[in-house]
Amino acid sequence: MSTPYPFTAVVGQTDLRLALLLNAVSPAVGGVLVRGEKGTAKSTAVRALSALLPQVDVVPGCRFSCAPGAPDPACPDGPHETGPGTARPARMVELPVGASEDRLVGALDIERALAEGVKAFEPGLLADAHRGILYVDEVNLLHDHLIDLLLDAAAMGASYVEREGVSVRHAARFLLVGTMNPEEGELRPQLLDRFGLTVEVAASREPAQRVEVVRRRLAYEDDPAGFAARWAAEEREVRARVVAARALLPQVVLDDGSLLQIAATCAGFEVDGMRADIVMARTASALAAWAGRTAVRKADVRQAALLALPHRRRRNPFDAPGLDEEKLDRILDGFPDDAPEPDPEPGGPQDGGPGDGGPDGGGPDGGGGGVPPQGSGPGASDRQPEAGDPAGPDDAAGPDAADPADPSADPSAAPSAAPEAPQPSAQGPDGPAQAAVAAAEPFRTKVLSVPGLGEGASGRRSRARTAHGRTTGAQRPRGQLTKLHLAATVTAAAPHQRARGRSGRGLVVRKDDLRQATREGREGNLVLFVVDASGSMAARQRMGAVKGAVLSLLLDAYQRRDKVGLITFRGAGAELALPPTSSVDAAAARLEQLPTGGRTPLAAGLLKAREVLRIERLRDPSRRPLLVVVTDGRATSAGGLGGDPRALSGRGARLLAAEGVASVVVDCETGPVRLGLAGVLAADLGAPSVTLDGLRADSLAGLVHDVRGTAAYQTSDANRRAA
């Protein structure tokens, strides 16, 4: 097994290291979500944490890590007798993004269960992670059905495996740690709230800090064992401090004054539910124990808020995570300061801990949030560079040493800025460009779905054959059996029982008798937006409404787990403003900055969409596309193609229709005089046309309309063609 990068050798990352250590002190805090760009040592720090956790006592031979003093009465390997156990290191189990359901929760031998009536159960990753760490790298890319299983296990502390009347339950209490790059998409709100704490990390821009990152990485790669040995003393000190803090934690007093501070803070930031209050209380107590104190201070409450609230105050997916520290200080300033405490006895728990920077652990504002200082261990240079990011086996860049919760230090953590004031128009290569305007307030949109039955990634938009959903039939399994159709299996096996010599109660089942259940659910699609940004759309009020409509569709795409892409056309041609991605945040940011002006190369936009869809079809052939064209239908420029603009746009639309691309046209034409050009484009695409007002979910009685296939749309298309 390769030697892990030492936790104490991690350069900087103060908030990340503190959040991980607080969970090591008090697993009840609820885990950590680490958000940041690639190459910021997120994975390195998490993998290094397991070496600092105290050993756990387990029942010998139990595959489910039961505690010898209080074994799980429902353990599949039980019943266990109380007695001495064996100590082993705490495990860190990694859940791959592409893991199957059976790998996560375990699997039953269905054939033995039917034929012999025994529960032959093979434990999964949830069983391995019991009383340890479950680490999910790129947690935002995890499939929905796996997220549902994680939510259930995290909420109940147990995992249930049920297959057609045969069920197994085992304990599954673990520390959930996830890392993610927000550029690749956001988490579902339900899973986001399950993480107790969150931290934002970013790469350092200071040369001295980056030099130290590279120096330590190279030293580690040259001699991993030797590098770890040079940090062994610091690792032992921090491990001892974690053990001491765990022992002190039950003695920490969280008085009514601190509870009022926590409640006022959560109420002031309007967080939903009560989980934030509970997490803050546990975090503040862990901070006090980590600092060697038995009393919670106001600074502990402040630090707990900075770690527990940023991901809970988001009102919609496009809000930037973060916390207004000035508002936080105003709330806490309304409470009296902490009473002075007597000086600690020399050598006492507050007299500086292992790797401690001062009596309170060197944390922000003396709040006990300290972590071992950097630059004082082996390998530190005489220059003592400021803390940067570590370079571990997986990550190369380093974070900024500044507090990630400070918006001035990390722009990505600051609340969304107000729209900039309009700038004067400028002449660019695509014609006169007007300044970007703010989007109107988003609204709930109608559900636009792709017709037919797909087989794409799990989602919530279009009908598809999926691993989860309602059972629609049975078939012979293709590969490993995952969802048994019991009735079909019994029907297939029943005619052969006499020939197989059945004599007992059990049914004689052969592998050829097994039938896989076919299920129908919903899939996520590739929603490709083609947005007209030409001069005909440039009226400020009109463009604000258009952006509001697209933003509403983006919000709908986020909720339905779609990939999104953005093409804009104006002036001389079309531009792929955002390649297809799972990050609707990125699409919303590009939309907000979208300039307008110039002529209207509609054909160029359609042909660009055709090319993007062709490439995406090669990359992900199972994900069906949905093309959303946002325009008033005017075509005044050939976009460098040569020929009549309107004829070219009609030809491009018919090419897309011939390739079976499901489309919808959002008609942005307004005013008393309407040319109906968007309707003509929709007819060429074989698609429905919907106005901005008609896009609202509450504007029509029917909330769900297929892009093609409803009688109303077919009648509308026929009328337009006849005209």
Side-chain angles (χ1 to χ4, degrees), residues 2-9 48 51 216 219-236 239 378:
S2 60
T3 303
Y5 194 90
F7 187 86
T8 50
R216 293 191 185 184
Y220 171 80
E221 291 183 343
D222 288 343
D223 184 8
F227 184 82
R230 291 197 294 274
W231 290 90
E234 282 72 16
E235 293 280 291
R236 287 192 297 269
R239 190 182 301 112

Side-chain angles (χ1 to χ4, degrees), residues 93-100 103 125 135-138 142-143 146:
V93 178
E94 293 195 40
L95 172 60
V97 170
S100 65
R103 184 70 187 99
L125 296 177
Y135 170 49
V136 188
D137 194 13
E138 306 294 349
L142 202 62
H143 290 295
L146 297 183

Side-chain angles (χ1 to χ4, degrees), residues 239-561:
R239 190 182 301 112
R241 185 173 177 182
V242 170
V243 173
R246 277 194 175 188
L248 184 62
L249 184 62
Q251 305 173 37
V252 173
V253 177
L254 187 67
D255 58 23
D256 289 345
S258 298
L259 287 173
L260 282 173
Q261 294 172 15
I262 291 170
T265 301
C266 293
F269 283 101
E270 301 179 355
V271 296
D272 296 329
M274 294 299 298
R275 184 173 283 116
D277 303 65
I278 297 171
V279 171
M280 277 190 63
R282 291 170 174 167
T283 305
S285 299
L287 281 162
W290 176 249
R293 289 185 277 101
T294 58
V296 173
R297 297 179 178 177
K298 185 191 293 187
D300 296 328
V301 175
R302 184 183 190 277
Q303 182 64 47
L306 293 175
L307 294 173
L309 297 187
H311 61 303
R312 292 187 167 92
R313 58 154 290 276
R314 302 181 71 185
R315 310 311 298 175
N316 67 65
F318 305 133
D319 287 341
L323 210 63
D324 185 347
E325 294 195 47
E326 292 184 0
K327 180 178 179 179
L328 175 61
D329 290 335
R330 287 195 302 271
I331 293 173
L332 294 178
D333 285 345
F335 294 88
D337 294 332
D338 300 311
E341 297 182 3
D343 294 333
E345 297 180 3
Q350 292 188 7
D351 191 26
D356 199 44
D360 291 329
D365 305 317
V371 289
Q374 300 301 317
S376 57
S381 64
D382 295 335
R383 293 181 288 104
Q384 296 292 317
E386 296 183 9
D389 181 48
D394 300 318
D395 301 297
D400 201 335
D403 185 357
D406 182 1
S408 64
D410 183 3
S412 65
S416 299
E420 296 182 0
Q423 301 295 324
S425 299
Q427 178 72 32
D430 294 332
Q434 299 183 10
V437 298
E441 189 70 20
F443 52 84
R444 190 164 64 93
T445 67
K446 293 192 306 180
V447 180
L448 304 172
S449 60
V450 179
L453 194 63
E455 295 182 349
S458 177
R460 294 183 179 84
R461 184 172 296 279
S462 306
R463 293 175 55 228
R465 297 184 184 91
T466 60
H468 298 268
R470 63 185 181 91
T471 301
T472 58
Q475 64 181 15
R476 291 182 182 273
R478 301 173 184 174
Q480 183 181 6
L481 176 71
T482 56
K483 295 289 183 182
L484 178 74
H485 195 294
L486 182 58
T489 299
V490 172
T491 301
H496 309 290
Q497 296 306 296
R498 181 174 297 179
R500 294 173 182 175
R502 175 188 173 187
S503 58
R505 297 178 58 188
L507 191 68
V508 181
V509 179
R510 303 276 174 83
K511 187 173 182 180
D512 290 343
D513 300 328
L514 299 178
R515 295 295 183 269
Q516 174 86 22
T518 58
R519 297 173 181 261
E520 182 178 313
R522 294 280 171 176
E523 68 177 357
N525 298 111
L526 166 60
V527 182
L528 182 61
F529 293 93
V530 181
V531 180
D532 186 348
S534 63
S536 64
M537 303 280 289
R540 300 185 65 80
Q541 185 176 3
R542 183 178 178 186
M543 197 61 199
V546 169
K547 285 188 176 183
V550 178
L551 194 64
S552 303
L553 290 168
L554 284 172
L555 180 59
D556 181 70
Y558 164 80
Q559 295 168 340
R560 300 186 186 281
R561 312 299 290 172

Side-chain angles (χ1 to χ4, degrees), residues 11 19 30 62 98 111-112 129-130 173 188 203 232 263 308 356 452 476 532 556 571 577 589 594 691 705 709:
V11 184
C62 178
E111 189 171 353
R112 288 190 62 194
H130 180 47
R173 291 182 294 275
R188 283 170 53 184
D356 199 44
R476 291 182 182 273
D532 186 348
D556 181 70
L594 178 65
T691 63
H705 291 270

